[in-house]
Amino acid sequence: MVEEEQKYEVDDAYVLPDLAPTAPAGGRVRELPPVTLVARYLDTVDLRLARAGASLRHRRGDGQPWTVKLPTGTPGVRHEISRPGPKGQPPPELVELVTVLHRGAPLAPVTVVQTVRHAYEVCDRAGTVLAEVVDDRVTVLDDTGAATGTFRELEVEFKSGDRALLDRVGAVLREAGAQSGTFTPKHVRALGAPAQADPDLVAPAGLTAEPSAGDVVTEAVRKEIRRLLAHDPLVRLRAPAGGGDTAVHQMRVACRRLRSDLRTFKPLLRRAWSRPLRDELRWLAGVLGAARDAEVLRERLRDTASADPLSPLDQGAVERLDEVLAQRQRRALAAIDEALRSPRYLALVDSLVLAARTPRFTRRAAAPAAQALPALVARPWRRLTGPDGVDGLDAEAPDDRWHAVRKEGKQARYAVNAVASTVGKGARRLSRALAGVQDVLGEHQDAAVAADTWLEIAAERPDDHDLAVTAGRLAERERQSVRRMRALFPGAWHRATRRRRTSWLP
């Protein structure tokens, strides 16, 4: 579940205003009985969770014993996952959700927070809760239960309906004297300055007007490491990544882009540092690949089967095909779970955090980016345009040959993307054009793989004649898509190779 809330700072003398005007027409504000909540927060000795904006707590008083909260990148919006369990034993599932933060370091209680909560629900005419306003008086307790500090804060949590309600409630609270505060969780306030220090994972910081080559590579590396680690808990939860995408796909893309950057900029990087990272990222991408392939095929099966309403397919046969893919997906996801629990993955996460903090460069990385990077990007570009790439490609070439060009195209596109903000307009134009080329080649590959898959599944069940007929019809539809993409490719490639897009390449 996603928690979205706003915080306000108030003192002990603050009087909560009448919230009734914030309710919609016909609605009302319902006051709940006060409750006392006692939360014990677990963290590493150096507060890795708190510094990253996350938490793992046991709380009594509201029926949700164990909860993990994870940042989303948007202030006030967090993923919240609760599970039952005894006080002294955090559920392993929740401990695993913060793996990329604790990285194997022991978790132990670091602070206890007692909250006396007065809550008010803003409801619509039907009684649906739209927002909850809570007035929290917080006491920080030491190991003996003695108070070491107190503070008071208001929280407004969005529940349903129109998010503009949060602004209306906030306006009423501020008019009564509340101050809009930075979004600082209770346990972070309780722990003080050490919990507000920088997180271990160094975020992209943006580039200066005239960056070095190393600066650009550092930014690219940090961006993809951040993407990879941010999607780890979502993969474990089987949660979507947003924008209609899946967490497995985003994590796999991060692996591929990071590996690509390490390859493209290899002359700037110390081999003993970059080579092991590339090897381990290849392993992780492979683990993620089977599940992602099953995702793509299941989605494609639905789309291809319904592509021609005037020529419907046997729905029962389509369902049997989908069940085969679903079984493959379940096995692949189980393999991901096993990999993410392994010491090998834990070591990789530790290496990635260190890599984001301090990439290891050669002397060449100190050169100005505008001078050093075009020549490095030109290498994957020449592979793409050369005889083993597009120059040697024709409409009758086998699918594997087209797939090889697609892989070279990805490498070239990732390289251009990494330098586009520094090199200038031509690189940005080429990046957009290569995205169009990759769309064509990606659809070609997906269709070719799908056609082979439908026939392969049917061949494994020779007695299922309806399945064989349906698989054959599906495969023909996929081959039509293959032919269509081959016809579209020359135009997409011509647009990408126009001089105004490539003149910056040596």
Side-chain angles (χ1 to χ4, degrees):
M1 124 179 218
V2 175
E3 174 192 67
E4 181 178 347
E5 63 186 20
Q6 296 174 352
K7 285 183 179 284
Y8 298 87
E9 297 178 2
V10 295
D11 58 25
D12 287 339
Y14 180 83
V15 177
L16 193 73
D18 181 12
L19 298 172
T22 67
R28 67 189 182 94
V29 175
R30 182 168 55 213
E31 182 177 357
L32 302 181
V35 295
T36 299
L37 309 170
V38 179
R40 183 181 300 270
Y41 288 86
L42 276 62
D43 208 328
T44 62
V45 68
D46 55 353
L47 304 181
R48 296 178 182 183
L49 274 61
R51 289 187 289 110
S55 65
L56 170 60
R57 76 174 184 218
H58 178 274
R59 188 166 78 179
R60 54 183 173 85
D62 64 350
Q64 292 185 331
W66 285 98
T67 298
V68 157
K69 292 190 178 184
L70 299 166
T72 64
T74 302
V77 181
R78 295 180 292 177
H79 296 288
E80 181 177 314
I81 308 96
S82 296
R83 297 289 185 268
K87 178 179 178 181
Q89 289 184 296
E93 177 188 356
L94 297 190
V95 175
E96 288 174 0
L97 287 181
V98 289
T99 293
V100 297
L101 302 179
H102 64 67
R103 307 195 308 282
L107 297 172
V110 291
T111 191
V112 178
V113 173
Q114 176 180 284
T115 302
V116 178
R117 170 166 293 179
H118 291 79
Y120 306 82
E121 294 177 336
V122 182
C123 306
D124 63 11
R125 185 190 304 270
T128 302
V129 179
L130 306 178
E132 183 180 55
V133 181
V134 299
D135 183 356
D136 286 343
R137 295 177 183 268
V138 182
T139 303
V140 183
L141 306 177
D142 64 16
D143 292 340
T144 68
T148 61
T150 63
F151 58 89
R152 184 183 177 195
E153 66 179 17
L154 306 179
E155 294 179 358
V156 184
E157 183 175 352
F158 173 77
K159 295 294 186 180
S160 64
D162 186 358
R163 283 177 170 78
L165 174 62
L166 295 183
D167 295 329
R168 295 201 301 273
V169 173
V172 170
L173 297 177
R174 287 192 299 272
E175 188 175 352
Q179 300 293 318
S180 297
T182 56
F183 186 85
T184 305
K186 289 181 178 65
H187 73 294
V188 173
R189 291 186 66 175
L191 289 164
Q196 299 179 48
D198 291 336
D200 284 353
L201 179 62
V202 180
L207 294 169
T208 62
E210 296 182 356
S212 69
D215 292 337
V216 174
V217 176
T218 296
E219 191 75 359
V221 165
R222 287 176 176 172
K223 178 181 176 182
E224 296 311 324
I225 290 176
R226 188 178 183 87
R227 187 213 297 246
L228 191 160
L229 299 184
H231 286 92
D232 169 292
L234 300 183
V235 168
R236 296 173 192 266
L237 288 168
R238 312 287 191 255
D245 205 351
T246 69
V248 169
H249 182 219
Q250 282 295 308
M251 199 170 179
R252 187 190 189 196
V253 167
C255 286
R256 286 182 162 183
R257 289 195 174 192
L258 187 51
R259 285 190 66 234
S260 176
D261 290 342
L262 294 176
R263 178 185 177 189
T264 297
F265 303 116
K266 184 167 59 174
L268 307 179
L269 301 168
R270 293 190 181 180
R271 181 182 178 88
W273 175 83
S274 63
R275 182 62 180 270
L277 275 180
R278 286 177 57 195
D279 291 343
E280 291 305 280
L281 288 165
R282 181 189 299 114
W283 162 73
L284 181 58
V287 172
L288 296 165
R292 175 57 184 166
D293 292 346
E295 284 179 353
V296 171
L297 284 167
R298 293 190 73 188
E299 182 177 352
R300 191 166 191 95
L301 174 61
R302 292 188 291 270
D303 292 344
T304 306
S306 60
D308 186 357
L310 298 180
S311 182
L313 303 182
D314 184 315
Q315 192 58 37
V318 172
E319 293 298 328
R320 292 196 292 280
L321 285 168
D322 184 64
E323 179 53 32
V324 173
L325 297 175
Q327 290 176 3
R328 293 183 182 180
Q329 187 175 20
R330 287 191 289 270
R331 289 194 296 269
L333 289 171
I336 290 176
D337 290 340
E338 182 178 355
L340 297 188
R341 295 186 184 115
S342 69
R344 182 177 184 178
Y345 177 70
L346 202 60
L348 173 58
V349 170
D350 220 22
S351 296
L352 291 172
V353 172
L354 292 173
R357 184 182 305 162
T358 313
R360 307 288 291 184
F361 291 112
T362 63
R363 291 180 179 178
R364 293 178 60 180
Q371 296 178 17
L373 295 181
L376 297 181
V377 176
R379 295 180 179 181
W381 176 252
R382 285 194 294 269
R383 289 196 298 269
L384 174 61
T385 59
D388 292 331
V390 176
D391 280 358
L393 191 64
D394 64 70
E396 304 303 319
D399 293 339
D400 287 349
R401 183 72 180 79
W402 282 79
H403 181 44
V405 172
R406 175 178 177 248
K407 291 192 291 186
E408 294 293 355
K410 276 191 174 185
Q411 176 77 18
R413 182 190 171 197
Y414 291 160
V416 173
N417 283 350
V419 305
S421 62
T422 301
V423 171
K425 186 182 296 185
R428 292 192 291 272
R429 288 172 174 169
L430 180 57
S431 176
R432 290 192 293 270
L434 284 175
V437 171
Q438 283 302 109
D439 287 344
V440 172
L441 292 175
E443 171 63 18
H444 179 285
Q445 174 66 6
D446 289 349
V449 169
D452 290 345
T453 301
W454 313 145
L455 297 177
E456 167 203 321
I457 294 173
E460 293 171 352
R461 293 156 179 77
D463 296 333
D464 192 336
H465 301 297
D466 291 338
L467 182 66
V469 172
T470 300
R473 294 179 65 188
L474 284 166
E476 181 51 37
R477 291 180 183 182
E478 302 290 6
R479 295 310 303 180
Q480 288 176 358
S481 183
V482 167
R483 292 189 288 272
R484 186 166 61 253
M485 292 304 105
R486 293 190 180 201
L488 290 175
F489 178 77
W493 182 244
H494 175 71
R495 288 188 290 275
T497 52
R498 288 177 179 171
R499 183 66 181 165
R500 64 193 184 101
R501 295 189 173 96
T502 61
S503 59
W504 60 278
L505 290 165

